[in-house]
Amino acid sequence: MIDFDGARLGAEAARRLAEADCCEIAPGLTEEEFSRIEATYELEFSPEHRAFLAAGLPVASPPEEGAAWQQPWPDWRHADEDDLRDRLEWPVREVLGDVAHGSWHPALGVRPTSREEALEVARAVLARAPRLVPVYAHRFIPAGRDTPGHPVLSVWGTDIICYGHDLADYIDREFGEIDEEAPWNPQASVPLWKDFLG
């Protein structure tokens, strides 16, 4: 089943990225490639992310000084499997890294007294959370065919914020022009991850 709202949103995000002229865009992913990727990494792209990547695969941007990634766009077609797995594991690894260094977020529940128990509890809570799929660097969108229209989240440790009302708005905010006067009140609804938001 095709989610037409998600497909329209993804196509609009792709159009805005092309207009921003900020990166190289390769031909979009095919249905065969989507099937292979989703099977390999045990995920389902959201309808808008799928439509975005089908319209064109962003593959290259000039590296930014001090950036965590040499290439911030995940290359779903040609990247090393370990690189893509590393990107997919980023949100959980980042939260666990903060927990290992003594930080604790109320979204994880009551903090156990020992570091080891805290990590164990955090791992269990995060294992139940919906998977986040990388869009660009540390910007993520929830996986799942039934999840259109969610905000794009920026994940850096337990510092998690909305970076766009949806994928199209995110593209404008990261690469294009935004109306500073426009209302800004994104409503994340992804279980657990929304609890990290201010």
Side-chain angles (χ1 to χ4, degrees):
M1 181 176 119
I2 296 173
D3 179 293
F4 291 104
D5 288 338
R8 277 193 293 273
L9 185 57
E12 177 62 18
R15 184 189 67 74
R16 292 180 188 186
L17 183 66
E19 282 182 359
D21 195 27
C22 60
C23 64
E24 180 184 333
I25 301 174
L29 295 176
T30 64
E31 283 303 314
E32 182 180 311
E33 288 174 313
F34 277 116
S35 294
R36 178 186 52 78
I37 293 163
E38 290 180 334
T40 300
Y41 300 102
E42 299 175 334
L43 64 88
E44 287 184 331
F45 288 101
S46 67
E48 68 266 37
H49 199 184
R50 184 186 243 321
F52 175 74
L53 296 173
L57 181 65
V59 292
S61 290
E64 294 181 21
E65 189 173 327
W69 284 272
Q70 183 69 17
Q71 179 43 255
W73 293 105
D75 184 348
W76 295 103
R77 181 174 286 132
H78 297 299
D80 177 75
E81 191 173 316
D82 289 340
D83 174 61
L84 289 175
R85 288 193 189 285
D86 186 61
R87 290 171 188 258
L88 285 161
E89 292 165 4
W90 173 273
V92 169
R93 189 174 61 247
E94 281 289 297
V95 172
L96 291 176
D98 274 10
V99 171
H101 287 96
S103 186
W104 188 261
H105 195 280
L108 298 170
V110 177
R111 180 180 173 80
T113 52
S114 80
R115 177 181 176 271
E116 291 74 25
E117 287 176 315
L119 282 166
E120 188 177 314
V121 166
R123 256 190 218 95
V125 170
L126 292 164
R128 295 188 300 271
R131 196 156 190 203
L132 298 179
V133 179
V135 174
Y136 177 86
H138 57 281
R139 315 290 194 235
F140 293 83
I141 196 164
R145 296 241 169 85
D146 58 347
T147 60
H150 283 290
V152 171
L153 301 177
S154 177
V155 179
W156 197 270
T158 53
D159 181 14
I160 300 172
I161 61 171
C162 285
Y163 222 80
H165 284 283
D166 54 39
L167 187 56
D169 182 56
Y170 160 71
I171 294 297
D172 285 345
R173 289 179 185 282
E174 187 84 65
F175 305 104
E177 301 289 324
I178 58 167
D179 177 0
E180 297 292 342
E181 303 300 316
W184 173 248
N185 188 25
Q187 298 297 313
S189 56
V190 186
L192 181 68
W193 299 109
K194 69 178 181 178
D195 300 332
F196 282 95
L197 303 174

